[in-house]
Amino acid sequence: DAGVIQSPRHEVTEMGQEVTLRCKPISGHDYLFWYRQTMMRGLELLIYFNNNVPIDDSGMPEDRFSAKMPNASFSTLKIQPSEPRDSAVYFCASSYVGPNQPQHFGDGTRLSIL
Amino acid sequence: AQSVTQLGSHVSVSEGALVLLRCNYSSSVPPYLFWYVQYPNQGLQLLLKYTSAATLVKGINGFEAEFKKSETSFHLTKPSAHMSDAAEYFCAVRATSGTYKYIFGTGTRLKVLA
């Protein structure tokens, strides 16, 4: 079975540029999560969706960050304008509904803002 | 609110020795607990999950965890460490009401010494 697919795997761009990260969840999963991981702050939940609807975006750092899920098989996380402090590994994960259902993670996008 | 606490951000063991990674949870209702492993440059992978069917849960790669309600613990163990076990390990609990989001511990980095 195909897992969660993220693209690109690596992104290097200059400060001020727009960055778009993409995620394809596992087919049939009801929930989609975006995380950010850094050495200083660890794993942070940014936003998550249930059936394509954003449920909680309280982890989004600021208005420069936005996320969409136009359909059940695709989500984007956009940063505009990007700043060096946004450099991190961004993970997408998906799961079925139900408290005993585990998350399945993608391999992440390593983002470097110069 | 539910939470998990991982004691020890770094643990070192010798190859062949017992691995013990600690996780304590805080929950007013029966929790749904997970252990994940993250190898360098990869996403988090599910090791095992507790679903109340049995207090001793066996996972992949020879790991197991025991749910102890009296101690509010879900410690991860492996009888004999292998060099390939070097990774970061995360304990997590899934919220059981309302949001269904996951709460992760801060992680424990396991180092295996030759």
Side-chain angles (χ1 to χ4, degrees):
Chain A
D1 290 340
V4 175
I5 299 172
Q6 290 187 248
S7 64
R9 288 297 313 277
H10 303 275
E11 174 88 14
V12 180
T13 191
E14 292 187 347
M15 181 175 64
Q17 298 297 307
E18 178 178 290
V19 173
T20 299
L21 311 181
R22 297 172 175 79
C23 175
K24 177 179 170 57
I26 292 173
S27 177
H29 279 188
D30 309 276
Y31 281 79
L32 183 139
F33 304 79
W34 281 102
Y35 291 90
R36 177 172 70 176
Q37 187 177 40
T38 61
M39 290 292 292
M40 290 297 295
R41 301 174 69 92
L43 192 65
E44 302 174 274
L45 175 64
L46 300 177
I47 185 171
Y48 71 99
F49 297 81
N50 178 23
N51 291 326
N52 314 337
V53 176
I55 301 301
D56 184 351
D57 65 354
S58 60
M60 297 285 260
E62 46 198 277
D63 292 345
R64 298 185 296 106
F65 286 69
S66 62
K68 295 182 180 180
M69 192 165 185
N71 56 63
S73 59
F74 184 65
S75 177
T76 60
L77 178 68
K78 187 173 292 187
I79 308 172
Q80 167 64 20
S82 58
E83 296 183 3
R85 59 188 168 134
D86 301 331
S87 297
V89 181
Y90 290 81
F91 288 104
C92 176
S94 67
S95 76
Y96 288 113
V97 69
N100 65 341
Q101 296 297 322
Q103 285 183 308
H104 298 260
F105 282 76
D107 285 334
T109 295
R110 184 172 296 276
L111 177 64
S112 297
I113 308 297
L114 306 178
Chain B
Q2 293 172 315
S3 65
V4 289
T5 302
Q6 291 184 244
L7 298 176
S9 58
H10 293 81
V11 170
S12 294
V13 299
S14 298
E15 192 174 20
L18 171 71
V19 175
L20 171 60
L21 305 181
R22 300 178 187 273
C23 173
N24 288 88
Y25 67 89
S26 170
S27 175
S28 58
V29 298
Y32 294 92
L33 294 158
F34 307 85
W35 273 101
Y36 288 85
V37 60
Q38 184 180 28
Y39 299 104
N41 300 315
Q42 294 186 25
L44 280 70
Q45 302 173 28
L46 180 68
L47 268 179
L48 51 82
K49 67 177 184 180
Y50 170 71
T51 60
S52 75
T55 56
L56 185 62
V57 182
K58 293 188 183 299
I60 62 172
N61 301 338
F63 283 93
E64 60 183 34
E66 186 172 7
F67 175 76
K68 291 187 177 180
K69 185 176 179 181
S70 61
E71 299 177 7
T72 61
S73 69
F74 190 57
H75 300 333
L76 182 70
T77 60
K78 182 174 180 177
S80 177
H82 192 272
M83 297 298 287
S84 61
D85 295 326
E88 188 155 22
Y89 293 80
F90 293 89
C91 181
V93 63
R94 191 171 196 184
T96 54
S97 62
T99 67
Y100 285 120
K101 68 180 181 182
Y102 297 81
I103 297 98
F104 283 86
T106 51
T108 297
R109 187 168 297 277
L110 176 67
K111 186 175 182 179
V112 181
L113 307 172

